[in-house]
């Protein structure tokens, strides 16, 4: 990626080096409601990385605490916000985020959706409080709809490069664009529909989750399409890096690497083939109307 002339986003919140903590619940006392977003993150952490879900859920009653897209929590942090990044990793993430802001501002404007509400991206180390529960590095990058923030521990990129062979700056850009895609889903009301569908039909919860992830991949493809059209950011080999990243995080490949076999009924993010296909769909069409895996 050629980002030398790209401006940095002002929507970076830098919590790196801060000690992690648990959000303070508005319920008071020791209890707190646990939103569906928290549960999804906890189960994803357990499924992909072996993290005990109760570490994230704080020992709560999962079924008795299902409250929707995520409960509102207040928490304290002194992370630096709005300042330009000065380290290489922070500068890269900040510039990539800026490209997503530019792309989605254009898409919202062209579709008559008003002003694009930009998300904030939080850089943290190890643990951090979020409105969806305690974020952990082992969970990988994630989006919390309750506070409309993307969370990334940058060690994820180093780990996936070593463990999954995901390398290249554009592959990292794809990951950020995918998480921003979940923010777009949230702002368009899609995540609310996804959560209601999960709750109304538990047998199809995994399938609905897969479709949500594939749409975020397609949205990442739209981001790549816009950058390619401008002809100023994408370099030779960048698209291949993104496709390799999409394939590497397919449920089938991850399950086969961990178990030696794949169980399609347990997929929550989609197969490698599906993830590449939907990223490609967005990349080739450049049309958000084509990014609808829920149809049909």
């Amino acid at each position: 990626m050629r980002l030398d002339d790209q401006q940095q986003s002002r929507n970076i919140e830098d919590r790196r080096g801060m000690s992690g903590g648990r959000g303070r619940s508005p319920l008071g006392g020791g209890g707190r409601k646990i939103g569906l977003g928290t549960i999804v993150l906890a189960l994803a952490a357990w499924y992909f990385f072996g993290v005990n879900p109760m570490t994230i859920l704080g020992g709560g009653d999962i079924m008795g605490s299902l409250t929707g897209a995520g409960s509102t929590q207040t928490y304290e942090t002194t992370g630096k916000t709005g300042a330009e990044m000065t380290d290489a990793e922070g500068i890269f993430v900040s510039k990539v985020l800026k490209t997503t802001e530019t792309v989605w501002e254009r898409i919202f404007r062209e579709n008559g959706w008003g002003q694009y509400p930009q998300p904030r991206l939080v850089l943290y180390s190890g643990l951090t409080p979020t409105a969806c529960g305690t974020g952990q590095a082992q969970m990988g990058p994630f989006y919390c709809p309750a506070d409309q923030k993307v969370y990334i521990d940058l060690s994820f990129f180093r780990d996936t490069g070593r463990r999954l062979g995901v390398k290249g700056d554009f592959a990292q850009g794809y990951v950020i664009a995918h998480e921003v895609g979940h923010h777009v889903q949230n702002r368009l009301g899609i995540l609310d529909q996804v959560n209601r569908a999960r709750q109304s039909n538990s047998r199809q919860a995994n399938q609905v989750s897969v479709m949500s992830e594939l749409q975020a991949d397609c949205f990442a493809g739209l981001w790549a399409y816009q950058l390619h059209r401008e002809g100023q950011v994408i370099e030779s080999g960048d698209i291949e890096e993104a496709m390799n990243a999409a394939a590497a995080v397919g449920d089938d490949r991850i399950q086969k690497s961990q178990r030696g076999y794949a169980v399609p009924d347990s997929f929550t993010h989609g197969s490698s083939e599906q993830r590449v296909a939907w990223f490609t769909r967005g990349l080739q069409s450049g049309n958000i109307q084509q990014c609808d895996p829920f149809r049909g």
Side-chain angles (χ1 to χ4, degrees):
M1 298 184 71
R2 297 192 302 271
L3 295 171
D4 293 342
D5 298 329
Q6 178 66 51
Q7 294 180 342
Q8 291 192 40
S9 170
R10 295 296 184 176
N11 290 311
I12 298 289
E13 182 177 337
D14 193 357
R15 301 182 191 173
R16 290 174 295 177
M18 298 174 58
S19 58
R22 178 166 295 170
R24 187 176 55 188
S25 171
L27 298 177
R32 65 186 179 99
K33 289 185 179 180
I34 301 173
L36 181 60
T38 313
I39 296 169
V40 171
L41 292 177
L43 295 179
W46 165 71
Y47 180 75
F48 289 116
F49 301 101
V51 178
N52 183 350
M54 302 314 294
T55 301
I56 302 168
L57 296 174
D61 178 359
I62 295 178
M63 296 308 296
S65 305
L66 203 59
T67 61
S71 59
T72 301
Q73 295 184 11
T74 58
Y75 51 91
E76 297 176 350
T77 177
T78 56
K80 185 187 300 183
T81 304
E84 285 197 350
M85 299 290 100
T86 57
D87 63 294
E89 288 184 318
I91 290 172
F92 173 79
V93 170
S94 181
K95 288 187 173 184
V96 170
L97 183 63
K98 182 63 176 180
T99 66
T100 68
E101 293 166 354
T102 301
V103 166
W104 284 107
E105 283 171 357
R106 180 185 298 118
I107 293 175
F108 268 58
R109 183 173 61 252
E110 290 175 349
N111 285 275
W113 296 335
Q115 184 176 0
Y116 169 61
Q118 300 172 353
R120 184 169 293 176
L121 190 152
V122 178
L123 299 177
Y124 72 99
S125 303
L127 298 171
T128 195
T130 85
C132 294
T134 301
Q136 299 191 26
Q138 299 96 322
M139 296 161 60
F142 63 93
Y143 173 70
C144 174
D147 58 22
Q148 301 182 49
K149 294 180 181 181
V150 173
Y151 291 84
I152 298 179
D153 183 318
L154 294 179
S155 64
F156 169 80
F157 294 128
R158 296 186 289 273
D159 292 342
T160 53
R162 183 178 64 254
R163 290 170 43 247
L164 301 176
V166 177
K167 299 180 180 179
D169 53 5
F170 203 79
Q172 297 177 15
Y174 152 77
V175 171
I176 295 171
H178 173 93
E179 296 306 329
V180 170
H182 286 310
H183 173 69
V184 174
Q185 290 176 317
N186 187 36
R187 297 305 306 181
L188 295 179
I190 297 171
L191 286 189
D192 285 341
Q193 297 177 42
V194 167
N195 290 331
R196 287 196 295 269
R198 285 192 183 114
Q199 294 179 55
S200 64
N201 192 334
S202 60
R203 289 179 296 180
Q204 294 185 0
N206 281 4
Q207 182 181 358
V208 172
S209 177
V210 166
M211 289 188 288
S212 174
E213 296 298 329
L214 295 180
Q215 185 175 60
D217 281 331
C218 191
F219 286 174
L222 293 180
W223 163 78
Y225 168 87
Q226 295 287 349
L227 296 186
H228 182 68
R229 188 175 74 170
E230 294 173 2
Q232 298 177 348
V233 175
I234 294 182
E235 298 178 295
S236 176
D238 280 347
I239 298 301
E240 288 77 8
E241 290 177 3
M243 289 186 177
N244 289 338
V249 293
D251 285 327
D252 53 341
R253 183 172 296 187
I254 291 176
Q255 288 186 1
K256 287 177 181 178
S257 69
Q258 293 178 339
R259 309 173 180 178
Y261 60 91
V263 183
D265 287 345
S266 68
F267 288 179
T268 57
H269 285 64
S271 67
S272 295
E273 182 179 0
Q274 288 175 313
R275 301 201 68 169
V276 170
W278 280 94
F279 173 81
T280 303
R281 190 183 184 102
L283 172 65
Q284 292 181 347
S285 71
N287 183 355
I288 195 171
Q289 305 302 325
Q290 296 296 317
C291 292
D292 189 4
F294 301 95
R295 185 185 304 166

